[in-house]
Amino acid sequence: MAVMAAASAAPAAAPYEREAAELTKAALTGTDFSKLEYLCDTFGPRFSGSENQVLAIDWMLEKDGLANVRGEPVDGIINWKRGKESLELLHPRRTSMALLGLGKSAGTGSEGVTAEVFVVSTFEELTANADKAKGKIVLFNAPFTTYGQTVAFRSRGADAASAVGAVAALVRSVTPYSLYTPHTGGVNYSDKQPRIPAAAVTVEDSEMMARMQKRGQAVVVRLQMDAQILGYNVSSRNVIAEVVGGADPEGIVLLGGHVDSWDVGTGAVDDGAGFFCAWEAVRLINDLIEERKIARPRRTIRFIAWADEEMTGRGAVTYKETHEHELKRHQIAVESDIGNFDPYGFGFTGSADGLAIFRNLSGLLEPVKVGEIVEGAGTTVDNAPLVAAGVPGGALLDSKGSSHYFNYHHSSADTITALNYDGVRRSVAAMAVMSYVLADIPDDLPHAA
Amino acid sequence: MAVMAAASAAPAAAPYEREAAELTKAALTGTDFSKLEYLCDTFGPRFSGSENQVLAIDWMLEKDGLANVRGEPVDGIINWKRGKESLELLHPRRTSMALLGLGKSAGTGSEGVTAEVFVVSTFEELTANADKAKGKIVLFNAPFTTYGQTVAFRSRGADAASAVGAVAALVRSVTPYSLYTPHTGGVNYSDKQPRIPAAAVTVEDSEMMARMQKRGQAVVVRLQMDAQILGYNVSSRNVIAEVVGGADPEGIVLLGGHVDSWDVGTGAVDDGAGFFCAWEAVRLINDLIEERKIARPRRTIRFIAWADEEMTGRGAVTYKETHEHELKRHQIAVESDIGNFDPYGFGFTGSADGLAIFRNLSGLLEPVKVGEIVEGAGTTVDNAPLVAAGVPGGALLDSKGSSHYFNYHHSSADTITALNYDGVRRSVAAMAVMSYVLADIPDDLPHAA
């Protein structure tokens, strides 16, 4: 009840206006993009199990003079390798088509799979035409609606196609806009039927094959994928760095993004900018403390770049296991993993009392237009195990009403060029202010029972 | 003077309101996209000298029941073949990069060219640093401003680089927006220095290499291009079809787009939709005449799909030579070759009296919002030889204030998916109304002396 009174009668945020202004100014004028640029350009994509990722993490650990900088081991990562892959249209004309095999997909063997394509746009259509799909390569030509809806064809399409006897599955890339750019992502197999090869084609080729089928032209392709799983127990690291709290160092505000990326592009959007904005927030807080412009906060602010979000989420699970002893003292776990183009607020998942405290922050985030707090929207892939254990969850929200992020998502176009630096600066400011204030307020955010 | 009086006192367009309404209705409700879709999907790109193009033209000539359907021979076309090509980044990390060799470019031989990259953003910067460019591969990293400005680096970059001793030239793709999509186009060599290989890289890789150089990282690549010119005198055809005029069949309103495309994508935007809107306009006029909904126009309306706009413009030159005897009776030559996304008017190049007559049309084009007439903007690559010979020139204008068209231009993304069918329908309506009225009015548009 004390919390509620504080929340409604005397906004907890009010005393932090000076600190918020300092942090905002530092973020908007001092965010150092050379770090993110160097990382993406020099090491390339940071795919789980790749040497690039090892080198990138090593380099990150050398930076910035933060406290307790370390890589915490994460095991049990699936090491999938794309290898060579190709898709040839053989009829009604011969041409090569762009494709990206889906993560964890089976390969085709060196001979490849040559078969007629059967195009559907829903799972229901496939089931109703099971006889036509047998022995074919099923193409799911489902237009983008929301990511959540459309991704089902990428995740579950191969399984559904295999169930009706198809020899491989193709999926239209999950994106609202295409410039002949294929988008990869993970496929999830059940154990109920054979694991058939699965790959994404461009929106352009998917629509073209649908038109061909509609006008009665047989569509024949040859799919070849050397894809294979090289191991099931590869190691990586959760990257961690801290500003240690003063009065209550065992209280923890956790904020970050994921360090791994897909194996195409350089992971600048997903999730380079996401972990970078948290990393810069913590770095700027540390700098301002050292410059004595702000006081050391009560609790510890812990930056984390999660390992392996894209493939199996092992980084998140491992953190939860490794830090079981201190989970109760986690004030919140905040993630940025849905873009930093035009941030507008935070999602929050937790108790009503926690929400009230979090909402009190929002006025401090208004100067960078990130003040909207959305109840129930604070769970992400990486904080989900913590939220399930009772820790309040937060998520930086981006680009209201727009799916711009998905233009780049899981594609070769996910590079520094795609970023909006102004949006990233505002993300840094929002992360810095939010984490500093939650680390310093007297109240602990209540955990779920 | 009679013309001027008609223009100002009694708009010549007024009597055509009924015909314009019929044509507009037919275009907006009856444009048959299956034709363009079939053509692009089934034959693929229509690159000059390719078998695809031969097949596509053969198929076009079978269609629609128009009069005098024919392919008029065009010789002297350069037959350039891309062949295999690749670009590998060797330092500071190893990765393959997307590229598209430029049309007419020299090849590298099978060994390829391995060299350090020297990045500039202007010709002046290259000249001022000539010593640093010697023996290197020069990359022109010039951001898109307008197509006209930026294309200079694609056209003339190789020559400028060769002049200072570079071994190859790369150019940042000429586009305002990229999803890791390279854009090709022609390179023009002078005879003053060796013809070095030239290719386009993506905006993403161009910016990345510029950042690497700026931070002092040596950028080393291997460029390999099998590109070669197979012949200098290949044949193609200008595709022609007509609605023959009633009272004055030797008067000609010429309208079209170009049938050739680049060898990537399927040429749906450049210039499939362009020639299609002219072709459909003529087809719909013919249909309405046969249905007796409109009268046969005084003059002949001639649809043309020009050969070889992209490589050397031989189709346009040949037409002018072949039709020398009837050029004086060309009322106008109208082209659509800068997009059909959101047409807003016509450019017109010709006499002031001709402009006045053309302007009288604009009210009839307002219902489809294509009523703006822009003086001096009626010359295109394909009507230029005719305009130079005195024929009034017209050009359908698209997407005011936007460079949307150049997202797709000369890339694999130039497919049916890129089209805005509503914009194409309005283009068909505008072409139909404009050509019908200019074919029927009593006045001849005055030619230049």
Side-chain angles (χ1 to χ4, degrees):
Chain A
M1 289 302 292
V3 168
M4 286 303 286
S8 50
Y16 293 101
E17 278 172 2
R18 194 188 58 77
E19 290 86 347
E22 290 280 3
L23 288 164
T24 298
K25 184 179 146 199
L28 297 184
T29 62
T31 294
D32 177 14
F33 286 98
S34 71
K35 208 159 62 175
L36 181 61
E37 292 173 351
Y38 182 89
L39 186 85
C40 289
D41 292 346
T42 309
F43 304 110
R46 301 170 300 279
F47 196 48
S48 280
S50 70
E51 192 192 349
N52 296 0
Q53 195 193 48
V54 173
L55 295 172
I57 289 174
D58 286 348
W59 183 83
M60 286 176 74
L61 294 174
E62 291 172 4
K63 295 279 118 184
D64 285 341
L66 291 164
N68 302 325
V69 178
R70 60 194 187 270
E72 293 191 346
V74 175
D75 301 323
I77 293 173
I78 292 178
N79 184 12
W80 177 82
K81 194 161 192 289
R82 175 178 306 285
K84 275 175 60 178
E85 54 187 17
S86 64
L87 181 65
E88 301 291 322
L89 179 65
L90 303 177
H91 187 272
R93 68 181 158 103
R94 295 186 79 103
T95 191
S96 65
M97 298 166 117
L99 96 156
L100 280 176
L102 299 184
K104 297 177 280 182
S105 174
T108 61
S110 59
E111 289 301 297
V113 174
T114 300
E116 198 170 323
V117 173
F118 180 61
V119 188
V120 298
S121 56
T122 63
F123 289 113
E124 293 69 27
E125 194 182 343
L126 178 65
T127 309
N129 294 278
D131 54 324
K132 292 184 189 164
K134 196 172 177 187
K136 305 267 178 66
I137 296 175
V138 168
L139 164 62
F140 293 91
N141 176 47
F144 186 92
T145 51
T146 65
Y147 184 70
Q149 285 182 339
T150 317
V151 80
F153 299 99
R154 193 194 74 206
S155 305
R156 299 192 284 112
D159 238 31
S162 183
V164 295
V167 294
L170 298 175
V171 60
R172 170 180 165 139
S173 288
V174 182
T175 179
Y177 181 68
S178 179
L179 289 174
Y180 201 70
T181 313
H183 296 239
T184 188
V187 59
N188 296 324
Y189 295 114
S190 75
D191 291 322
K192 294 179 186 163
Q193 49 271 322
R195 300 186 169 203
I196 60 175
V201 297
T202 63
V203 171
E204 287 86 343
D205 284 336
S206 185
E207 291 189 348
M208 183 178 72
M209 288 188 274
R211 285 191 301 272
M212 287 170 167
Q213 174 171 296
K214 195 172 174 187
R215 68 169 82 97
Q217 294 172 307
V219 182
V220 182
V221 301
R222 177 175 179 273
L223 172 69
Q224 202 276 323
M225 296 167 62
D226 285 344
Q228 58 177 315
I229 290 173
L230 298 174
Y232 287 89
N233 195 17
V234 171
S235 297
S236 183
R237 288 164 285 175
N238 286 327
V239 181
I240 287 179
E242 295 176 350
V243 170
V244 178
D248 181 13
E250 293 179 358
I252 292 162
V253 167
L254 185 73
L255 73 163
H258 62 87
V259 71
D260 68 304
S261 74
W262 278 92
D263 61 333
V264 292
T266 60
V269 171
D270 181 17
D271 189 29
F275 76 72
F276 173 76
C277 73
W279 188 14
E280 275 293 272
V282 178
R283 199 264 301 172
L284 289 169
I285 289 168
N286 195 50
D287 285 359
L288 292 184
I289 293 168
E290 292 191 354
E291 294 165 20
R292 299 178 184 277
K293 288 185 177 168
I294 59 175
R296 182 168 295 277
R298 191 179 302 254
R299 297 175 191 76
T300 292
I301 302 175
R302 178 180 291 168
F303 161 68
I304 182 163
W306 304 92
D308 196 47
E309 191 267 353
E310 298 292 1
M311 291 297 269
T312 47
R314 285 292 305 160
V317 171
T318 305
Y319 180 90
K320 190 248 172 189
E321 290 168 359
T322 313
H323 294 266
E324 197 76 58
H325 61 285
E326 58 180 10
L327 287 193
K328 283 189 182 155
R329 292 309 320 283
H330 275 56
Q331 176 82 330
I332 193 167
V334 176
E335 183 84 347
S336 169
D337 187 22
I338 53 170
N340 304 87
F341 296 98
D342 183 19
Y344 67 90
F346 284 96
F348 180 84
T349 300
S351 68
D353 288 356
L355 177 65
I357 296 172
F358 199 75
R359 276 203 199 285
N360 275 332
L361 274 172
S362 62
L364 299 172
L365 303 170
E366 276 304 334
V368 286
K369 299 177 190 161
V370 191
E372 193 165 329
I373 309 298
V374 180
E375 188 176 357
T379 311
T380 66
V381 171
D382 279 322
N383 73 11
L386 302 180
V387 172
V391 176
L396 186 66
L397 303 176
D398 188 52
S399 299
K400 198 168 191 177
S402 155
S403 297
H404 189 60
Y405 173 74
F406 292 104
N407 288 10
Y408 307 105
H409 187 248
H410 296 193
S411 83
S412 295
D414 182 352
T415 69
I416 292 288
T417 294
L419 296 178
N420 170 22
Y421 278 12
D422 178 59
V424 179
R425 285 188 193 98
R426 289 166 46 226
S427 299
V428 175
M431 284 294 221
V433 171
M434 184 277 305
S435 59
Y436 182 82
V437 175
L438 286 182
D440 199 61
I441 54 172
D443 308 296
D444 275 351
L445 296 195
H447 278 215
Chain B
M1 287 304 292
V3 167
M4 287 304 284
S8 50
Y16 293 102
E17 279 173 1
R18 193 188 58 76
E19 289 87 346
E22 289 281 3
L23 289 164
T24 298
K25 184 179 146 197
L28 296 184
T29 63
T31 293
D32 176 14
F33 286 98
S34 71
K35 209 159 61 174
L36 181 61
E37 291 173 351
Y38 183 89
L39 185 86
C40 289
D41 291 348
T42 309
F43 303 109
R46 302 170 299 280
F47 195 48
S48 280
S50 71
E51 190 191 351
N52 296 1
Q53 194 192 49
V54 172
L55 295 171
I57 289 174
D58 286 349
W59 183 83
M60 286 176 74
L61 293 174
E62 290 171 5
K63 295 280 118 184
D64 285 340
L66 292 164
N68 302 323
V69 179
R70 62 194 187 270
E72 293 191 346
V74 175
D75 302 322
I77 293 173
I78 292 178
N79 184 13
W80 177 82
K81 194 161 191 293
R82 175 178 307 285
K84 275 176 59 178
E85 54 187 18
S86 64
L87 181 65
E88 301 292 321
L89 180 65
L90 303 177
H91 188 273
R93 66 180 160 105
R94 295 186 78 103
T95 190
S96 65
M97 298 166 118
L99 95 156
L100 281 175
L102 300 184
K104 295 178 281 181
S105 174
T108 61
S110 58
E111 288 302 296
V113 174
T114 300
E116 197 170 323
V117 173
F118 180 61
V119 188
V120 297
S121 56
T122 63
F123 288 112
E124 293 69 27
E125 195 182 342
L126 179 64
T127 309
N129 294 279
D131 54 324
K132 292 184 188 163
K134 196 172 177 185
K136 305 266 179 67
I137 296 175
V138 169
L139 163 62
F140 293 91
N141 177 46
F144 186 92
T145 52
T146 65
Y147 184 70
Q149 284 181 340
T150 317
V151 80
F153 299 99
R154 194 193 75 206
S155 304
R156 300 192 283 112
D159 238 31
S162 183
V164 294
V167 294
L170 298 174
V171 61
R172 170 181 168 139
S173 288
V174 181
T175 180
Y177 181 68
S178 179
L179 290 175
Y180 202 68
T181 313
H183 296 240
T184 187
V187 59
N188 296 323
Y189 294 114
S190 74
D191 290 323
K192 294 179 186 164
Q193 49 271 322
R195 300 185 169 205
I196 60 175
V201 297
T202 64
V203 171
E204 287 87 344
D205 284 335
S206 185
E207 291 190 348
M208 183 178 72
M209 288 188 274
R211 285 191 301 271
M212 286 170 168
Q213 173 170 299
K214 195 172 173 188
R215 68 170 80 98
Q217 294 172 308
V219 183
V220 182
V221 301
R222 178 176 179 270
L223 173 68
Q224 201 276 321
M225 296 167 63
D226 285 343
Q228 58 178 316
I229 290 173
L230 298 173
Y232 287 89
N233 195 16
V234 171
S235 297
S236 182
R237 288 164 285 175
N238 286 327
V239 182
I240 287 179
E242 295 175 350
V243 170
V244 178
D248 181 12
E250 294 179 355
I252 293 162
V253 167
L254 186 74
L255 74 163
H258 61 86
V259 71
D260 68 304
S261 75
W262 278 91
D263 60 333
V264 291
T266 60
V269 171
D270 181 17
D271 189 29
F275 76 72
F276 173 76
C277 73
W279 188 13
E280 276 293 274
V282 178
R283 198 265 302 172
L284 289 168
I285 290 168
N286 195 49
D287 286 358
L288 291 184
I289 292 168
E290 291 190 354
E291 294 165 21
R292 298 177 186 278
K293 289 186 176 166
I294 58 175
R296 182 168 295 276
R298 191 180 302 256
R299 295 176 192 75
T300 292
I301 302 175
R302 178 180 291 168
F303 161 69
I304 183 163
W306 305 92
D308 196 48
E309 191 267 353
E310 299 291 2
M311 291 295 271
T312 45
R314 285 292 305 160
V317 171
T318 305
Y319 180 90
K320 190 249 174 189
E321 290 168 359
T322 313
H323 294 266
E324 197 75 58
H325 61 286
E326 57 181 10
L327 287 193
K328 283 189 183 157
R329 292 308 319 284
H330 275 57
Q331 176 82 330
I332 192 167
V334 176
E335 183 82 347
S336 169
D337 187 22
I338 53 169
N340 304 88
F341 296 97
D342 183 20
Y344 68 90
F346 284 96
F348 179 84
T349 301
S351 68
D353 288 356
L355 177 66
I357 296 172
F358 198 75
R359 276 203 199 285
N360 275 332
L361 272 172
S362 61
L364 298 171
L365 303 170
E366 276 303 334
V368 287
K369 300 176 190 160
V370 191
E372 193 165 329
I373 309 299
V374 180
E375 188 177 356
T379 311
T380 67
V381 172
D382 278 323
N383 73 11
L386 302 180
V387 171
V391 176
L396 186 66
L397 302 177
D398 188 51
S399 298
K400 199 168 190 175
S402 156
S403 297
H404 189 61
Y405 173 74
F406 292 105
N407 288 10
Y408 307 105
H409 187 250
H410 296 193
S411 84
S412 294
D414 182 352
T415 70
I416 293 288
T417 293
L419 296 178
N420 170 22
Y421 278 11
D422 177 59
V424 179
R425 285 189 193 97
R426 290 166 46 226
S427 298
V428 175
M431 284 293 221
V433 171
M434 183 279 305
S435 60
Y436 182 82
V437 175
L438 286 183
D440 198 61
I441 55 173
D443 309 297
D444 275 353
L445 297 194
H447 277 215

